[in-house]
Amino acid sequence: MLSQDIILRLIMWLPQIAAFVFAIVMWPKYKNTTQRNFIYFLGFVLVIECFGYLLPVLYGVKSGYVYNVYTIISGLFLLTWFKSILQTKKLVIVFISVFIASIGYCLFFQAFGVLWKIPLVVLAITILICSTVFFSDLLTKNEVVNFKTDQKFWIVTGCLVFYISYLPLVLLQKYFGLSGIYYRIPITINIILMFGFIIKSFLCLKKN
């Protein structure tokens, strides 16, 4: 009989796999846009999920090593992407610098095998701000009437939904003693929602 952990992982992996499949299928539709690198990012997510599960089970490697690498690469990827789609590029450059500084701090003062919270909090806050700026810019453009077929809109919505829920979860985890199944369930729900919006971003390309 499958354990709760395996069941939650399978539920979480399904939308991630589906998003990668849609990214491959719809590649000709967005290969010349600012979203072209998402196919590699989604493939990277699947590799991380595999390592994050298998390395601790097979070799006793702490999952913190894997997920800290994920935080660094995914954070830099998302912030760089926001820099390519936002008009306030200097602001995003500042955010990238702060994020890199938070990583540098953890490299010097925290163990790499422990999940780093500071870069996660910094990343969540910066992405929430970037998402807000994106929607603010969108409202001033004629593109707002066609938002349903705007791939960027759905990806940013996914990021906003994920991080607006994830930030308080990370900040309050220690105070409420959230761990194990009580931590994994809300994280799984957030991931399902985020990748659901990413899948929608690829499906909307069919309408273009």
Side-chain angles (χ1 to χ4, degrees):
M1 189 173 181
L2 295 177
S3 65
Q4 291 179 332
D5 180 63
I6 292 296
I7 292 172
L8 284 175
R9 285 181 183 274
L10 290 174
I11 294 173
M12 180 180 67
W13 289 340
L14 286 175
Q16 293 176 329
I17 294 170
F20 183 56
V21 171
F22 279 112
I24 295 172
V25 172
M26 301 304 294
W27 169 248
K29 294 277 189 178
Y30 68 95
K31 65 180 181 180
N32 296 318
T33 71
T34 51
Q35 290 71 255
R36 60 187 174 273
N37 290 324
F38 268 87
I39 188 172
Y40 308 113
F41 173 68
L42 294 172
F44 167 72
V45 169
L46 294 181
V47 171
I48 285 293
E49 290 296 346
C50 289
F51 284 160
Y53 175 70
L54 294 175
L55 290 182
V57 172
L58 298 178
Y59 303 104
V61 177
K62 293 181 179 179
S63 60
Y65 288 107
V66 178
Y67 291 113
N68 284 336
V69 170
Y70 174 76
T71 298
I72 295 170
I73 295 178
S74 65
L76 291 175
F77 171 79
L78 289 173
L79 289 174
T80 302
W81 177 68
F82 270 108
K83 177 176 173 289
S84 71
I85 66 173
L86 295 180
Q87 297 176 354
T88 53
K89 300 186 185 301
K90 291 183 179 179
L91 177 64
V92 185
I93 291 174
V94 172
F95 288 161
I96 293 173
S97 300
V98 174
F99 179 63
I100 292 174
S102 71
I103 293 169
Y105 173 85
C106 289
L107 280 171
F108 282 102
F109 299 105
Q110 293 186 8
F112 195 66
V114 178
L115 186 65
W116 293 341
K117 296 293 180 67
I118 296 176
L120 284 172
V121 172
V122 170
L123 180 62
I125 293 172
T126 54
I127 286 184
L128 288 175
I129 295 173
C130 288
S131 300
T132 303
V133 172
F134 172 82
F135 287 119
S136 177
D137 289 345
L138 185 64
L139 290 173
T140 63
K141 298 177 182 178
N142 293 330
E143 297 174 15
V144 69
V145 297
N146 298 317
F147 74 92
K148 290 183 179 180
T149 57
D150 185 354
Q151 188 182 23
K152 295 188 294 292
F153 170 84
W154 294 109
I155 294 175
V156 174
T157 301
C159 291
L160 178 65
V161 169
F162 177 82
Y163 283 103
I164 205 169
S165 302
Y166 183 67
L167 181 59
L169 191 63
V170 172
L171 293 175
L172 300 176
Q173 180 185 9
K174 180 179 178 181
Y175 299 100
F176 288 97
L178 295 174
S179 61
I181 195 73
Y182 298 104
Y183 179 75
R184 290 196 62 82
I185 287 177
I187 286 294
T188 300
I189 293 172
N190 276 353
I191 288 174
I192 290 171
L193 290 173
M194 180 181 183
F195 281 87
F197 281 111
I198 291 176
I199 290 170
K200 174 63 178 177
S201 79
F202 293 117
L203 293 176
C204 79
L205 296 174
K206 289 184 178 181
K207 300 177 182 179
N208 290 337

